[in-house]
Amino acid sequence: DPAGKWLTEDIGGGGVAGDLQTTLEIADGRASGKGGCNRYNAAIRIEGDTMSVGPAMSTRMACAAAAMAQEQKFFNALGKVAKWKLENTRLILMDSGGSEILKFRAIE
């Protein structure tokens, strides 16, 4: 079960900027957290090993260009999620072709 709080470690194979806390919290049919700049909230649907995330509604703060770019990559990747798997303390989200597009580690 992927419910819990997760810190993004990789977006589309490009890593993440270390000082940007991009997080995902899954609870009660919702995905929420910080995109790196703005807080977001989206519907999430999980059935077996499949997952879909609805469009993210986010606050509209402006941040540094790098933070905004990473946040957009993160939101774009969330919209492509089709499958999930757990590996030790890692949550890996994949697209419909099975490519790993987001990797997270568990946080308290």
Side-chain angles (χ1 to χ4, degrees):
D1 179 3
K5 292 183 182 180
W6 304 94
L7 179 66
T8 308
E9 289 190 320
D10 184 75
I11 303 170
V16 290
D19 57 340
L20 294 178
Q21 293 279 302
T22 301
T23 61
L24 170 67
E25 183 172 355
I26 300 172
D28 303 322
R30 304 297 300 170
S32 61
K34 276 192 78 169
C37 175
N38 291 284
R39 293 205 53 77
Y40 71 91
N41 196 315
I44 189 168
R45 190 167 157 179
I46 301 164
E47 290 180 4
D49 66 348
T50 66
M51 175 187 290
S52 61
V53 182
M57 302 295 166
S58 69
T59 56
R60 296 272 182 236
M61 295 187 316
C63 296
M68 299 299 284
Q70 178 169 302
E71 182 171 88
Q72 196 54 56
K73 276 175 51 181
F74 176 71
F75 289 154
N76 288 346
L78 273 183
K80 295 177 183 159
V81 169
K83 298 177 182 172
W84 66 276
K85 66 181 176 183
L86 291 174
E87 286 183 358
N88 300 319
T89 58
R90 301 276 188 288
L91 172 64
I92 299 169
L93 304 183
M94 297 156 288
D95 65 17
S96 58
S99 298
E100 296 180 355
I101 55 175
L102 288 165
K103 294 181 185 177
F104 302 88
R105 67 176 166 86
I107 53 177
E108 292 304 313

